[in-house]
């Protein structure tokens, strides 16, 4: 794998490249080779202020949200077209900064990101409120959906470009101005997204990207008094800190946080389909996915057969050079993340868990410093163990047996998270009962991980609140205004007697 020549990538404020006011830079390194991919500015509180001022000015003069609908639709569709036209470059950069397989970025993430943008381009034309009516008897009431104003957004490192689009798409469609912070480890494609948006016709100041550390830039955006909404995709502990910072001006909060998705396999399930679903669901993006299948609950009668087949599939996954077309799984985001993941596995093993696949750092020829980890299955672990209860965020699947439907659903719901779940069965009644009982924002039957631009994505409990994708996400970035128009033209209103005069007779 050849790393591209490292360059500096200025952040993007008010339509132009911008350096940090502090003059410092952050380095972005390849998790596969350790080589320098590029540098981005280490943003400061002053830089956040600059971006918010630019965003507020853009919102105040209406250069975007008062643009004709047809023109705004054309701009967003043009942005999607530019993403397609630059997909090779974007996928290459995404692979360099994440270490994950190129085929995932090029053939999945980029196509879906463009589809998201096109979906939200259509959403612009569907601002909805209640029909006008004279609810008071003397006034016509109507409801307007309007943009919120300046929205702050913090995107994660696991799907840098795609998650940025998930945030930018609905916020732009609703007419807001944006200050977006990408993850420090993976900021380069987000800067490129802002450049493409400007090229597509998004006015200066509407989409600003400020790079830097989360405890500086992210905290400054979340706590800023002139930011009206903060949206975070990240872990649950960060979500709690963001929520506290947002309380300063009671800004709205949108959080997509951690997950610990259960994967329930019943005795009547198609075992081959379930084994393949568990492999894909647990290992997508190296398991660095909040919706990844992490806890498999398997009926005792098929427990051993499921373990054998799934272990065969895990062992067959090809780990190696992210740019090799034959590679299924590249690296994790860093050597530190590898250490974290391996720590979970080794502690589970020490506590009596049985490692039936993986469980070690592989040696990959040509990548002595690569952040690789073998796909891992740990069986026979306890429900209360940390590997079952806490988010590992790596290519690790814990497998536990169950005997009854009620037991499976109880164990599946026994978590602080509530993002995604799946059930594998041929019994429609069992599937419907599970869909009703599982306390997760997204429940799938006989599949795991599938999403659609038209459908909402978001969690319950400590997985956060608010939705990504779909018209529900669009609604998150709007506010509802009641307009009431008096119809009589009379100066003296019947209710005025409560302040002055006597109550009218009759």
């Amino acid at each position: 794998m050849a790393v591209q020549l490292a360059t500096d990538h200025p952040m993007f404020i008010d339509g132009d490249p911008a350096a940090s006011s502090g003059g410092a830079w952050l380095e972005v390194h390849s998790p596969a080779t350790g080589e320098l991919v590029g540098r981005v500015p280490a943003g400061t509180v002053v830089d956040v202020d600059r971006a918010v001022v630019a965003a507020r000015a853009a919102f105040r003069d209406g250069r975007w949200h008062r643009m004709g609908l047809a023109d705004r639709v054309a701009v967003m569709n043009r942005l999607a077209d530019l993403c397609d036209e630059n997909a090779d470059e974007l996928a290459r950069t995404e692979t360099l900064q994440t270490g994950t397989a190129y085929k995932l970025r090029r053939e999945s993430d980029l196509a879906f990101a463009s589809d998201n943008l096109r979906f939200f381009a259509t959403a612009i034309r569907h601002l909805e409120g209640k029909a006008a009516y004279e609810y008071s008897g003397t006034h016509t009431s109507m409801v307007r959906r309007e943009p919120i104003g300046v929205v702050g957004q913090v995107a994660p490192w696991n799907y840098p470009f795609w998650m940025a689009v998930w945030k930018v798409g609905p916020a732009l469609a609703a007419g807001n101005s944006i200050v977006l912070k990408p993850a420090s480890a993976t900021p380069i494609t987000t800067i490129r997204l802002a450049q493409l948006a400007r090229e597509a016709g998004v006015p200066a100041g509407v989409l600003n990207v400020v790079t830097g550390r989360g405890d500086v830039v992210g905290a400054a955006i979340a706590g800023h008094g002139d930011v009206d909404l903060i949206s975070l995709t990240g872990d649950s502990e960060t979500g709690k800190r963001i929520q506290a910072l947002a309380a300063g001006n009671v800004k709205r909060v949108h959080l997509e946080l951690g997950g610990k998705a259960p994967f329930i396999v019943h005795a009547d399930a198609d075992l081959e389909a379930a084994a393949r679903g568990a492999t894909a669901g647990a290992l997508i993006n190296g398991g660095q996915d909040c919706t990844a299948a992490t806890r498999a609950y398997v009926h005792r009668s098929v427990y051993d057969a499921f373990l054998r087949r799934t272990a065969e599939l895990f062992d067959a996954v090809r780990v190696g050079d992210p740019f090799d077309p034959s590679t299924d799984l590249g690296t994790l985001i860093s050597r530190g993340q590898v250490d974290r993941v391996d720590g979970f596995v080794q502690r589970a093993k020490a506590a009596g868990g049985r490692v039936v696949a993986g469980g070690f750092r592989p040696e990959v020829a040509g990548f002595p410093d690569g952040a690789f980890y073998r796909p891992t299955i740990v069986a026979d672990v306890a429900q209360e163990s940390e590997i079952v209860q806490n988010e590992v965020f790596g290519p690790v699947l814990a497998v536990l047996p169950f005997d009854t439907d009620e037991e499976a659903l109880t164990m599946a719901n026994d978590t602080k998270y509530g993002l995604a779940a799946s059930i594998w069965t041929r019994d429609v009644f069992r599937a419907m009962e599970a869909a009703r009982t599982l306390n997760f924002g997204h429940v799938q039957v006989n599949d795991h991980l599938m999403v659609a631009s038209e459908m909402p994505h978001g969690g319950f409990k400590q997985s956060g609140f608010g939705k990504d994708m779909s018209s529900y996400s669009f609604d998150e970035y709007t506010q509802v205004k009641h307009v009431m128009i008096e119809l009589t033209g009379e100066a003296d209103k019947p209710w005025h007697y409560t302040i002055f005069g006597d109550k009218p007779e009759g």
Side-chain angles (χ1 to χ4, degrees):
M1 179 181 117
V3 175
Q4 68 184 23
L5 180 65
T7 58
D8 291 343
H9 303 269
M11 52 193 176
F12 203 76
I13 297 178
D14 205 14
D16 292 314
S20 168
S21 61
W25 294 81
L26 297 176
E27 293 184 345
V28 178
H29 291 268
S30 163
T33 66
E35 294 179 77
L36 182 67
V37 175
R39 300 194 311 167
V40 299
T44 66
V45 173
V46 172
D47 299 321
V48 172
D49 283 337
R50 291 164 58 202
V52 172
V53 167
R56 180 59 66 189
F59 186 76
R60 186 177 293 114
D61 67 24
R63 68 188 72 166
W64 174 245
H65 69 87
R66 291 179 183 168
M67 184 186 291
L69 285 183
D71 293 334
R72 286 166 57 198
V73 169
V75 168
M76 290 200 65
N77 280 323
R78 176 60 179 147
L79 175 55
D81 291 342
L82 287 171
C83 290
D84 288 340
E85 292 168 17
N86 292 274
D88 290 342
E89 170 213 332
L90 290 166
R92 175 176 171 77
T93 305
E94 198 83 330
T95 300
L96 286 170
Q97 63 182 359
T98 64
T100 49
Y102 178 81
K103 69 176 181 179
L104 170 70
R105 302 308 183 186
R106 180 63 182 86
E107 299 171 19
S108 177
D109 291 7
L110 268 297
F112 203 98
S114 297
D115 183 70
N116 289 164
L117 288 169
R118 292 189 175 93
F119 171 82
F120 285 112
T122 66
I124 296 173
R125 297 184 183 273
H126 298 281
L127 287 165
E128 295 181 353
K130 290 182 179 179
Y133 190 73
E134 290 70 54
Y135 295 100
S136 73
T138 57
H139 304 74
T140 295
S141 286
M142 65 182 71
V143 171
R144 291 174 54 87
R145 274 205 175 271
E146 298 181 348
I148 294 171
V150 175
V151 302
Q153 301 179 321
V154 180
W157 50 257
N158 55 339
Y159 295 96
F161 189 81
W162 190 10
M163 295 295 99
V165 166
W166 276 22
K167 294 188 178 301
V168 166
L172 281 181
N176 298 284
S177 294
I178 300 165
V179 178
L180 171 62
K181 186 201 111 54
S184 298
T186 57
I188 300 172
T189 50
T190 305
I191 295 170
R192 187 72 178 115
L193 175 63
Q195 295 168 349
L196 294 176
R198 188 75 182 98
E199 183 180 342
V202 174
V206 173
L207 175 55
N208 306 275
V209 174
V210 182
T211 55
R213 290 174 38 168
D215 59 352
V216 177
V217 174
I221 295 172
H224 201 289
D226 204 24
V227 170
D228 304 303
L229 176 149
I230 180 70
S231 173
L232 165 77
T233 298
D235 65 85
S236 299
E237 293 306 312
T238 302
K240 293 174 186 177
R241 293 194 292 272
I242 291 290
Q243 202 167 12
L245 289 165
N249 67 330
V250 201
K251 62 171 61 67
R252 284 169 60 172
V253 180
H254 173 274
L255 301 174
E256 197 272 89
L257 306 176
K260 195 68 182 173
F263 186 101
I264 303 173
V265 182
H266 284 276
D268 68 336
D270 181 329
L271 205 60
E272 179 66 15
R276 288 182 173 276
T279 303
L283 302 183
I284 188 75
N285 198 29
Q288 299 168 130
D289 187 312
C290 294
T291 61
T294 58
R295 301 178 289 146
Y297 297 102
V298 184
H299 192 272
R300 198 175 299 275
S301 64
V302 294
Y303 182 73
D304 289 338
F306 175 84
L307 275 175
R308 282 195 302 271
R309 181 57 181 143
T310 308
E312 290 173 354
L313 293 171
F314 268 52
D315 286 341
V317 169
R318 300 164 297 185
V319 176
D321 181 349
F323 283 101
D324 187 331
S326 68
T327 292
D328 300 314
L329 202 64
T331 72
L332 303 189
I333 191 62
S334 67
R335 291 297 296 265
Q337 185 68 8
V338 171
D339 291 342
R340 181 179 185 277
V341 170
D342 189 59
F344 271 96
V345 173
Q346 300 309 321
R347 290 190 296 274
K349 185 177 178 180
R354 178 164 53 101
V355 176
V356 298
F360 61 92
R361 303 172 176 88
E363 293 184 5
V364 177
F367 297 86
D369 298 318
F372 297 96
Y373 200 77
R374 275 301 309 176
T376 299
I377 299 173
V378 184
D380 306 336
V381 290
Q383 173 68 14
E384 63 274 13
S385 64
E386 65 164 3
I387 203 167
V388 172
Q389 293 295 329
N390 296 335
E391 192 172 35
V392 178
F393 227 58
V396 177
L397 177 66
V399 186
L400 295 77
F402 72 86
D403 294 300
T404 67
D405 289 19
E406 182 180 7
E407 181 187 13
L409 294 174
T410 298
M411 289 194 296
N413 281 334
D414 177 28
T415 175
K416 63 186 177 182
Y417 299 109
L419 188 56
S422 64
I423 179 170
W424 297 74
T425 179
R426 291 184 173 94
D427 187 329
V428 66
F429 300 104
R430 172 180 282 145
M432 291 300 291
E433 177 61 22
R436 182 175 67 170
T437 304
L438 288 166
N439 193 23
F440 298 83
H442 185 193
V443 177
Q444 295 189 53
V445 179
N446 294 329
D447 207 349
H448 196 96
L449 278 181
M450 283 300 298
V451 292
S453 294
E454 295 80 4
M455 289 290 107
H457 174 83
F460 304 158
K461 300 190 289 186
Q462 290 193 35
S463 289
F465 46 82
K467 301 300 180 184
D468 290 315
M469 301 192 296
S470 81
S471 60
Y472 294 96
S473 176
F474 181 75
D475 290 348
E476 297 279 346
Y477 288 96
T478 67
Q479 54 192 357
V480 173
K481 177 185 289 183
H482 173 207
V483 178
M484 201 172 200
I485 304 169
E486 206 276 338
L487 299 176
T488 69
E490 299 292 336
D492 187 17
K493 306 295 191 292
W495 63 272
H496 284 181
Y497 79 92
T498 58
I499 299 299
F500 57 88
D502 299 320
K503 183 175 182 178
E505 296 182 4

